[in-house]
Amino acid sequence: MGTHVIKMPDIGEGIAQVELVEWFVKVGDIIAEDQVVADVMTDKATVEIPSPVSGKVLALGGQPGEVMAVGSELIRIEVEGSGNHVDVPQAKPAEVPAAPVAAKPEPQKDVKPAAYQASASHDAAPIVPRQPGDKPLASPAVRKRALDAGIELRYVHGSGPAGRILHEDLDAFMSKPQSAAGQTPNGYARRTDSEQVPVIGLRRKIAQRMQDAKRRVAHFSYVEEIDVTALEALRQQLNSKHGDSRGKLTLLPFLVRALVVALRDFPQINATYDDEAQIITRHGAVHVGIATQGDNGLMVPVLRHAEAGSLWANAGEISRLANAARNNKASREELSGSTITLTSLGALGGIVSTPVVNTPEVAIVGVNRMVERPVVIDGQIVVRKMMNLSSSFDHRVVDGMDAALFIQAVRGLLEQPACLFVE
């Protein structure tokens, strides 16, 4: 038997360090070739690390949340044959398998009490929750499904690799009576439990970027209401006529088109600002960041060259990028290079918001909820579909008057949607 050492790979683009986000294996696990053993995160995206060999996990080289250097030891695996690593009689290599970092990740995975392990099949055995601090392994899709169903994953047995909870495990759990003691707390029972959630991975990156943006950018926001009655009528007509063949249109591709047209007269807003070099770069291409909420946090995939895409082309690309971001499959290139960001909470958009500029950009356009309400037009009260745009700008680069004129231009285009397509 030999030892195969997987080192932290070079992700590219000159990155010297990456953050270890999550282990999918623990010491003692038997793993297969190409099985994903860990997720690591760069400044731009999460990257899966597969094993190039089959074997038994001997040691883990770090803990979730730890920042590791490229080339450092990530994991040791016992393999058939000689492997790629030869231990020499020195203290450090000999001690690696027994180091504390190899043992610490075990409680964060599916190490369960004996009564819980005995229920390896999905029978009606008593359900014993994981101990406090134990983290159930599950994909974002499984986590969302459990959240929607009101299920705490710590009560669900995982049958996947390293105890990973699969969709079939949720099916089995939901098919059993939910009366086991301790499984479903009474809604009026006193609770004294608490939970500590480490700020690691994507959540740490989001926190760092938001803090940096608020610290460096001179934010100001501008809110305007828009009558989107005509726009909604056009959207519904296009969907009725072309939806089956070209795909359904949401409001987003219309908003993107309005940004593209309005930015022709406001190049200072389609810009990025390097405040260290004191250089503003105005971009001809409109690369729109589409703020997307996933299970793990906020990501901003980029719709490139929105100025060159039709409504349906942009709609299809927005849908593809959003799905990739939500499933944690977006590449580094798809998550970088935006020149202006569009953010929307859809039906949860509220009345007003104050979005944070996505640095180094200088503008972000926020979409609030669309509602029907009475509006006075020519002295008459009529019901119209109204929607607010809540947008923020970097006041170091964008003057207040220019920001207001830009949003008014967007408003005019959306209220008279034929103007979106007049050259």
Side-chain angles (χ1 to χ4, degrees):
M1 304 295 286
T3 301
H4 186 96
V5 173
I6 301 176
K7 296 185 177 181
M8 187 66 74
D10 184 355
I11 308 298
E13 298 190 17
I15 293 175
Q17 293 180 318
V18 296
E19 179 182 347
L20 177 59
V21 176
E22 184 174 7
W23 285 111
F24 298 121
V25 299
K26 60 182 181 295
V27 173
D29 281 353
I30 304 300
I31 63 175
E33 184 178 351
D34 294 328
Q35 180 177 334
V36 175
V37 297
D39 275 352
V40 300
M41 172 167 281
T42 69
D43 287 338
K44 301 294 183 182
T46 300
V47 179
E48 294 180 337
I49 306 298
S51 171
V53 297
S54 301
K56 179 180 179 181
V57 177
L58 295 177
L60 306 178
Q63 300 182 57
E66 183 176 339
V67 176
M68 302 180 66
V70 170
S72 60
E73 184 173 310
L74 180 65
I75 185 171
R76 284 193 174 203
I77 304 170
E78 185 180 65
V79 296
E80 296 286 348
S82 59
N84 69 349
H85 180 83
V86 178
D87 281 327
V88 294
Q90 296 177 356
K92 278 191 176 181
E95 292 174 0
V96 170
V101 293
K104 276 192 176 182
E106 288 188 77
Q108 298 177 0
K109 300 300 172 186
D110 289 12
V111 180
K112 311 168 189 66
Y116 188 81
Q117 290 175 330
S119 180
S121 62
H122 299 297
D123 53 24
I127 296 178
V128 180
R130 292 172 174 80
Q131 296 300 306
D134 290 356
K135 182 180 179 183
L137 292 179
S139 69
V142 169
R143 291 185 184 279
K144 183 178 188 305
R145 184 180 169 202
L147 179 64
D148 292 342
I151 296 172
E152 293 188 54
L153 286 181
R154 69 191 188 103
Y155 291 106
V156 182
H157 166 72
S159 62
R164 195 175 186 87
I165 299 172
L166 309 176
H167 284 285
E168 304 89 90
D169 301 321
L170 281 183
D171 293 336
F173 181 85
M174 289 188 287
S175 68
K176 291 186 293 185
Q178 304 298 301
S179 59
Q183 183 177 330
T184 305
N186 183 287
Y188 293 95
R190 291 184 62 179
R191 296 185 62 173
T192 59
D193 58 305
S194 62
E195 181 183 9
Q196 292 184 332
V197 181
V199 181
I200 62 174
L202 182 59
R203 180 51 57 189
R204 177 191 285 179
K205 296 299 181 184
I206 292 172
Q208 291 173 343
R209 287 186 63 85
M210 293 298 102
Q211 183 180 29
D212 185 61
K214 293 297 287 185
R215 180 176 61 85
R216 302 178 71 167
V217 175
H219 281 83
F220 79 98
S221 297
Y222 180 83
V223 181
E224 181 58 282
E225 66 175 0
I226 300 175
D227 184 341
V228 292
T229 307
L231 180 64
E232 263 297 278
L234 174 62
R235 186 183 71 86
Q236 291 176 13
Q237 182 181 17
L238 291 175
N239 282 342
S240 176
K241 185 175 182 179
H242 301 293
D244 292 339
S245 58
R246 301 186 187 183
K248 298 289 186 180
L249 295 171
T250 66
L251 275 179
L252 284 181
F254 292 95
L255 290 165
V256 167
R257 180 65 183 172
L259 293 182
V260 165
V261 176
L263 286 171
R264 295 171 183 171
D265 295 325
F266 297 91
Q268 70 272 37
I269 292 176
N270 188 45
T272 51
Y273 180 35
D274 184 340
D275 52 5
E276 293 184 357
Q278 296 291 295
I279 294 176
I280 299 169
T281 302
R282 295 181 175 181
H283 302 274
V286 182
H287 301 320
V288 183
I290 307 294
T292 304
Q293 183 67 42
D295 290 340
N296 296 323
L298 182 69
M299 305 182 79
V300 187
V302 181
L303 171 63
R304 297 189 180 278
H305 291 290
E307 77 281 0
S310 68
L311 278 180
W312 280 278
N314 285 341
E317 183 66 358
I318 289 171
S319 178
R320 185 191 70 80
L321 290 167
N323 287 332
R326 291 190 186 101
N327 295 322
N328 208 28
K329 300 298 183 183
S331 67
R332 289 172 51 81
E333 292 73 20
E334 291 171 334
L335 294 170
S336 60
S338 54
T339 60
I340 188 171
T341 291
L342 180 62
T343 179
S344 170
L345 289 175
L348 300 175
I351 299 172
V352 173
S353 58
T354 55
V356 177
V357 172
N358 183 25
T359 56
E361 301 163 28
V362 299
I364 181 170
V365 177
V367 182
N368 296 117
R369 183 175 63 244
M370 181 172 60
V371 296
E372 285 189 334
R373 61 181 178 83
V375 178
V376 177
I377 299 179
D378 296 330
Q380 301 294 317
I381 298 178
V382 295
V383 175
R384 307 290 289 180
K385 292 180 179 178
M386 305 298 294
M387 181 182 74
N388 285 356
L389 289 185
S390 298
S391 304
S392 296
F393 303 87
D394 188 340
H395 216 332
R396 300 173 301 173
V397 177
V398 182
D399 295 333
M401 180 64 74
D402 289 339
L405 289 172
F406 169 68
I407 294 301
Q408 291 299 329
V410 172
R411 173 188 177 184
L413 291 164
L414 295 176
E415 291 189 338
Q416 302 292 332
C419 296
L420 291 171
F421 311 102
V422 175
E423 298 296 337

